[in-house]
């Protein structure tokens, strides 16, 4: 179907981190975790907008309520130093899983580098979620939202 040139498509409004995304990643993390408690870290691309950081904080907090979380952190790519400092000194790391949840569409440079920064920190297991477009359920959700935006 041809995209009408008069339509303005705003992907941000249709691609927000909402309950459907939380549900998908909650289930993913619960299947992958091996320890009874986890440390959750979400990472996204840097933005000057304070609302983006607030959305990342809200998403991380909501997601953590559905998981057996010992603690949770969020940060922008390139601004991980404070989070790394805190989790390096965390107690009982050898009994916890570290869940890295980079919020990127693809497994490109930022995704790969985000994962690398959190490896080998002494946790029982370090598990990374897949990028959005590597998760079939997320890809299908986005496709439905874009289709709906185009047809409205």
């Amino acid at each position: 179907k041809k995209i009408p040139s008069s339509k303005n498509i705003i992907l941000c409004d249709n691609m927000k981190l909402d309950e459907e995304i939380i549900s998908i990643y909650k289930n993913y993390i619960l299947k992958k975790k091996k320890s009874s408690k986890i440390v959750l870290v979400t990472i996204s691309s840097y933005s000057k907008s304070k609302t983006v950081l607030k959305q990342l904080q809200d998403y991380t907090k909501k997601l953590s309520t559905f998981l057996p979380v010992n603690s949770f952190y969020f940060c922008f790519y390139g601004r991980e130093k404070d989070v790394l400092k805190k989790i390096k000194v965390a107690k009982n790391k050898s009994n916890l899983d570290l869940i890295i949840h980079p919020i990127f569409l693809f497994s490109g440079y930022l995704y790969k580098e985000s994962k690398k920064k959190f490896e080998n920190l002494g946790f029982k297991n370090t598990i990374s979620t897949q990028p959005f477009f590597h998760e079939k359920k997320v890809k299908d959700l986005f496709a439905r939202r874009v289709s709906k935006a185009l047809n409205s």
Side-chain angles (χ1 to χ4, degrees):
K1 183 174 178 180
K2 187 176 178 180
I3 299 173
S5 59
S6 63
K7 293 249 182 183
N8 289 331
I9 301 169
I10 302 170
L11 290 178
C12 294
D13 286 348
N14 294 304
M15 302 303 175
K16 59 187 170 193
L17 299 171
D18 59 11
E19 273 61 6
E20 287 180 279
I21 298 290
I22 288 172
S23 176
I24 292 166
Y25 280 99
K26 170 194 76 162
N27 292 330
Y28 178 92
I29 291 168
L30 288 173
K31 286 178 190 168
K32 296 287 183 178
K33 77 171 189 64
K34 297 175 182 144
S35 300
S36 61
K37 288 285 189 180
I38 66 169
V39 173
L40 174 66
V41 178
T42 58
I43 308 162
S44 74
S45 297
Y46 174 77
S47 174
K48 291 181 183 178
S49 170
K50 290 183 183 186
T51 57
V52 173
L53 186 60
K54 177 74 171 115
Q55 289 170 344
L56 181 61
Q57 176 185 13
D58 292 347
Y59 171 78
T60 307
K61 190 174 185 176
K62 282 181 190 174
L63 179 58
S64 73
T65 63
F66 297 104
L67 300 169
V69 170
N70 188 55
S71 56
F72 66 88
Y73 305 95
F74 58 94
C75 60
F76 286 141
Y77 176 81
R79 307 274 169 111
E80 304 93 343
K81 283 183 184 176
D82 289 338
V83 172
L84 284 165
K85 261 190 235 180
K86 289 175 185 173
I87 64 175
K88 281 180 182 176
V89 297
K91 294 179 182 176
N92 299 321
K93 289 192 297 189
S94 61
N95 296 321
L96 300 170
D97 284 354
L98 175 62
I99 307 293
I100 307 302
H101 182 27
I103 301 174
F104 298 105
L105 294 178
F106 306 101
S107 59
Y109 177 80
L110 294 181
Y111 173 82
K112 290 174 185 170
E113 290 299 310
S114 294
K115 283 177 45 177
K116 275 186 201 174
K117 290 179 182 186
F118 288 90
E119 291 175 349
N120 304 315
L121 295 176
F123 285 86
K124 186 173 183 179
N125 300 292
T126 300
I127 300 161
S128 296
T129 61
Q130 295 296 312
F132 280 177
F133 284 173
H134 287 232
E135 289 294 326
K136 183 177 179 353
K137 290 179 182 179
V138 175
K139 215 176 3 180
D140 292 347
L141 176 64
F142 283 0
R144 284 193 311 272
R145 290 181 180 181
V146 169
S147 177
K148 184 177 176 182
L150 289 173
N151 293 319
S152 60

